[in-house]
Each structure stands twice: as structure tokens, then as C-alpha cells.
Amino acid sequence: LVNGEQQDMSDMQDPRIKLAVIFGGRSGEHDVSLSSARSVIEVLDKEKYQLFQVGITPQGAWFTGGSTLEAFSRGSTSGLEQAVIIADPSLKGLHVLRDGQLIKISDLDVIFPVLHGTFGEDGTIQGLLELADLAYVGAGVVGSSVGMDKGIFKDVMRANDIPVVEALIVLRSEIVENMEATISRVESLLPYPIFVKPANLGSSVGISKCKNRSDLAEGLQEAASFDRRILVERGVDAKEIEVSVMGNEHPQASVPGEILPSREFYSYESKYVDGSSELVIPALLPLDTAEQVRSLAVKAYQAIDCAGMARVDFFIEKSTGKVMLNEINTIPGFTSISMYPKLWQASGLTYSQLIDRLIALALDRKLSRDRTQRSYRRSS
């Protein structure tokens, strides 16, 4: 033990990049995260990366082990050790609790958080990793948190003259205290059909399409079970277009793709259960429209200080041809059917090249952060 710690010396001598992939999490998107993590782990170059699997249970407990993902897929933590990443940068690395002692099992060069939704995509884990002085894939605290909250994100888009769909935020407390008044306020501002969404969740979890007052009441209750802030927005008869963006200071956009939902809208079931929604890549759009959505995707990405990666989603209203930005996903899905990697593949980047590039961007961003002065001494 050194300062209460013990570290495997063979790990310290391994020249490969020490990469921790973190998955699972306290979110309605826990299962989606496991699927995304599996796809990422399968393509990692074992000659280049020394992999550490870290899983977070739905209750928030952290575990690690060589087969963490397999154990989590079975709903088990048997044979795993409790994992710890400490905010103190002097104790940087991956630790486990073993026989009542905190043991450092390895240094870490970079973290790949494949965590969708709350406590993963919202700036919380990014804050921990910033405190721990670790490199990590994806947006920082501000970009993650603003991108996650659909209401605040829309406000930032409007401030940057980026068109969005009309919407308002309703609080869970309003629904609980006076559902009738809440419904009346929504109806005074928006026509049916109306979409109701948890403000801080993705993968279409908790989303309802409401065609009347009864639907709206049910949709508000459903969304309120997942978040204290609920986005209510005008339903748009539109093409659903997505663009992948990658980069730090100089982001680039992929070719656009179009979603053809198998159901009334691109629901959780049509994304991950029946898998029957069709993806058209590249989207069949006029050249000027395709360039417009790519340009707006990069503009939105930069407006929230995003980094590493994001998928930016658009509506193109069928009756008017108007382009409206829907939302941004700072940790997009990485499953075998996910748009983010598919769009880059259509743009000439293979899945494994994409992962390598994202990890390189994370390391570059850490070097940039390290150039920031953290102390100030006034001259006399």
C-alpha cells in the first residue's frame, strides 16, 4: 500500500491507452446504454487500448470487472468489484473497494461515458470527471447540461436565431397541484396534436402524441413520472432529419439522414424494440436544404459549446418546407442500428475509425484544458 493505495504494477507498464468505458446508469435509458456500450467495446482495437469496463446500476452503484457488461446484461453484479473514480485529481485513476480498502487498479488516460439520459448525458458525470482531471469523450458540463434540457436548449437556439418548434415548459408541481389549469394553459398556446416529452431524457422515453384533452392529461402524467420539467410542443407534420456532428474547436457535419418511423412517431419501440423504422442515408433532400441543416447543426453545436460528438435532429415541415431544429443529443446512440455511426459511415468513416477519432478528440480537449491557468497571483 502507498498512501492507502495499492496498484497493479503490470498495468502501469502497459503502453496501451488506458480506456474506461462507463455504461448503464440511473436513467430510463439504462438498457439502451448497455446496447450502445456493447457496440463500442466490440470494435475497440485491443492492440491500442487497455479496456476497463465500468457499469453503473439503475440504483447508482458502480462496478467493474472483465465481464461487467455481460453481468449487467443479465441483471447481475455477481463476481464484480465495487468501482470508484475519485474527484481528487491526486488520486486519479480507477479504484475498487476490496476487503474494506480502497485499491487503485490502474491509471486512466481517457473515459468513454456511454451513458444516455440523466446522470450521464446531463453534465453530472462530466463534472465528476472534470474534478478528477480526466480526459473524457464528449461535451463538457455546459454543453451536456444545456443540450440535455430541451426547454433551455430551445431558448438558446432562439437566442442564436435558429428556428425551433413552438413549445413551453410545464413543471411536475403544476400538474400535481392543478391538472385542469395546466391543460387549459397548454391549450391556450398550442393546437392539437401536441407532443409531451420529459425535458431531460432521450431515446423517446416518456414521449406521448396527444390528440385531445384526455390524451394530454395522460401524456403529462407519463412525462412527469420521468422528470420534474416537461416540454410541451406543437405537433408538426414533418420529415425527421438527423445530422451527426464531430469535433472540438472546428466541428464537422455528416451527410443528413432521414427517419421513416414505423409508428406514428419515432418512439422508443420503433427505435429499439421492433427495429422496423427505415433509415434513408443520405436523406433525399434538395442540395440547398441539405447544406442548410448541416450548417444549422454545426451552429447549434457551437452555440452550446459542445465538443467531441453530437447528433442534431431536425423537422422539415411538409406543408411549408420550413427547417426547424428539434434537439441535440450529446451522447447519441451507438447501437448497430443507431443513426450517429451510420451517418459517419455514409460520410466515409468506419465505426472503428469513428471511435478512435472520438477518443483522440477527448485527449486533445484535455490538453487544451491543461493550458488553462488555475491560480492567480496579483502583481505587487
Side-chain angles (χ1 to χ4, degrees), residues 36-52:
S36 288
R38 183 178 303 281
S39 297
V40 171
I41 289 169
E42 284 176 349
V43 301
L44 287 172
D45 184 346
K46 295 179 176 59
E47 298 296 318
K48 184 182 296 185
Y49 304 107
Q50 182 184 6
L51 172 66
F52 298 89

Side-chain angles (χ1 to χ4, degrees), residues 23-24 30-31 34 38 55-59 63 67-80:
F23 47 83
H30 180 96
D31 292 341
L34 301 187
R38 183 178 303 281
I56 304 175
T57 69
Q59 295 74 38
F63 289 91
S67 57
T68 307
L69 180 58
E70 293 303 322
F72 268 58
S73 298
R74 298 190 306 269
S76 169
T77 58
S78 177
L80 304 178

